[in-house]
Amino acid sequence: MDLDQLDLNPRIIAAVKKAKLKSIKEVLHFSGPDLQRLTSLSSLDVQHLLRAASSRLRGGGVLTALQLCERAGGLPARPRRLSLGCPVLDRLLRGGLPLDGVTELAGLSSAGKTQLALQLCLAVQFPPRHGGLDAGAMYICTEDVFPNLRLQQLIAQQQRLRTDVPGEVVSRIKFSNQIFIEHVADVDSLLECVREKVPVLLSRGMARLVVIDSVAAPFRCEFDGPALVPRARHLQALGAALRRLSCAFQSPVLCINQVTEATEEQGTAPRPHGLRDERVSPALGMTWSNQLLMRLMVHRRRPGDEAVTPAGPPDRTLSVVFAPHLPPSSCSYTVNAEGVRGTPGTESY
């Protein structure tokens, strides 16, 4: 907008032009003291200048939120999510994983955490119209060797799992070529990977999903009871780095976590919804919990568990423990050769 449109003393407008400020927006980029130095105007003149510029830019008068919305062309678009590759699980999470935050997936061993992480590494490669982000995934292993054989099995079964996607779309995607694997053995290596290697892939658009499997392993190996303070500092540093990357590149971060007896660690979160009588809680305590946007937990009924109904409880259950946009809820799911599938009709809220 032209400076001559401002209702100001010509002397003030001349001083602004002499300072090589060409538009109203440029004026508003500076603070009052900065404008005084640039234009040599008095404090009172600068106040008049800023008030006139802001009034001109917003059109004058007070606008309601509804008026701003109508002026912008309607309600904002629904936030994008990364699909889990299953309509039942997507309904539970209202579309999938958020793109701007750290999601934790915790649970006992053999409950299906890695299976779901691998399925997400494939789902992210689909086009946005099919719930993906049209990019690859970065998979950071801290415990076991990357499960490549299982990944190849899932890739071979994608057309059977993703019946919502045309076959020619699935066949065109080179799934194996877009999963970047890194093995780290300690906390320092994990932080270096997150700070140095992950940003390169995200900035180039080669990856839009980061998976850490698992986040607890290096911390539980290096830090024992007396080392709680340095452990908390490293956890905060890791959480801050992951949140910053996720928000900057609109890329979801999934951290797989172990569980521990609720009495083992101080400051652990309350026992999650959906874990029935097992006194377990995600590892790493409240310090790590505070870094998360969303916490999910998986539970698998073991052979010794008592049936609560004639048919017994579901074999596997995925539960939402906390999330800013979701209520505590759960549904059962199965893991087979095709991947992870939610069981229709088992959702509870």
Side-chain angles (χ1 to χ4, degrees):
M1 292 184 183
D2 193 356
L3 292 169
D4 292 324
Q5 297 176 351
L6 297 178
D7 185 17
L8 287 170
N9 189 308
R11 173 182 56 84
I12 298 177
I13 294 177
V16 173
K17 289 182 177 180
K18 187 176 179 180
K20 301 187 184 305
L21 300 178
K22 300 177 181 179
S23 68
I24 295 175
K25 287 187 178 181
E26 282 190 54
V27 171
L28 293 175
H29 286 168
F30 295 93
S31 65
D34 287 338
L35 284 172
Q36 280 186 258
R37 286 192 292 271
L38 284 171
T39 62
S40 300
L41 292 170
S42 67
S43 175
L44 185 60
D45 286 340
V46 168
Q47 289 181 22
H48 288 319
L49 172 62
L50 289 174
R51 190 177 300 114
S54 60
S55 297
R56 183 71 185 180
L57 197 62
R58 71 169 184 261
V62 177
L63 295 177
T64 66
L66 178 59
Q67 289 170 327
L68 286 173
C69 179
E70 290 173 344
R71 178 179 291 185
L75 295 173
R78 184 177 179 180
R80 288 183 61 190
R81 302 276 190 265
L82 171 59
S83 169
L84 276 69
C86 168
V88 176
L89 300 180
D90 284 344
R91 282 198 301 271
L92 180 71
L93 303 184
R94 294 187 184 174
L97 296 189
L99 302 191
D100 55 350
V102 180
T103 297
E104 178 192 78
L105 180 62
L108 296 168
S109 61
S110 75
K113 302 186 297 294
T114 298
Q115 304 287 328
L116 192 54
L118 292 176
Q119 185 160 306
L120 279 164
C121 289
L122 303 181
V124 72
Q125 301 184 43
F126 284 91
R129 65 180 179 277
H130 298 302
L133 300 175
D134 206 9
M138 176 73 169
Y139 202 106
I140 304 172
C141 301
T142 66
E143 293 185 77
D144 301 322
V145 177
F146 180 77
N148 188 56
L149 290 178
R150 176 56 174 158
L151 176 67
Q152 297 305 320
Q153 185 182 30
L154 291 174
I155 292 173
Q157 298 290 331
Q158 277 299 287
Q159 292 198 17
R160 296 185 62 186
L161 178 71
R162 298 301 302 269
T163 55
D164 59 312
V165 183
E168 59 270 17
V169 174
V170 178
S171 60
R172 281 200 305 265
I173 301 175
K174 306 299 181 183
F175 291 103
S176 298
N177 295 344
Q178 299 190 84
I179 299 177
F180 305 92
I181 303 163
E182 183 76 17
H183 288 86
V184 299
D186 53 56
V187 173
D188 289 337
S189 299
L190 176 59
L191 286 170
E192 180 184 1
C193 179
V194 169
R195 289 169 174 167
E196 303 295 335
K197 298 181 180 180
V198 174
V200 174
L201 292 174
L202 296 180
S203 63
R204 295 178 180 177
M206 300 169 68
R208 290 285 304 279
L209 170 69
V210 179
V211 177
I212 300 179
D213 186 5
S214 72
V215 68
F219 286 93
R220 299 182 84 177
C221 291
E222 291 190 38
F223 299 101
D224 53 14
L228 290 179
V229 173
R231 185 183 81 163
R233 289 175 179 165
H234 282 81
L235 282 170
Q236 289 170 346
L238 177 63
L242 292 173
R243 291 197 310 273
R244 187 162 50 247
L245 290 172
S246 179
C247 293
F249 297 102
Q250 286 295 285
S251 300
V253 174
L254 178 70
C255 293
I256 295 176
N257 198 3
Q258 303 168 354
V259 292
T260 182
E261 291 293 327
T263 56
E264 282 187 7
E265 299 191 24
Q266 297 180 356
T268 51
R271 187 157 54 101
H273 170 82
L275 281 193
R276 299 175 177 84
D277 295 327
E278 293 196 68
R279 296 183 55 82
V280 296
S281 182
L284 304 178
M286 287 299 296
T287 301
W288 174 246
S289 298
N290 290 334
Q291 313 304 315
L292 305 176
L293 175 72
M294 179 165 67
R295 167 169 281 164
L296 307 175
M297 289 200 70
V298 290
H299 167 77
R300 182 178 184 182
R301 181 168 59 92
R302 294 173 295 186
D305 291 347
E306 294 184 3
V308 296
T309 66
D315 184 50
R316 287 182 170 92
T317 304
L318 174 67
S319 302
V320 177
V321 181
F322 64 73
H325 59 294
L326 296 173
S329 51
S330 65
C331 76
S332 64
Y333 65 95
T334 59
V335 179
N336 52 35
E338 300 170 7
V340 180
R341 288 181 181 270
T343 306
T346 61
E347 300 93 332
S348 63
Y349 300 91

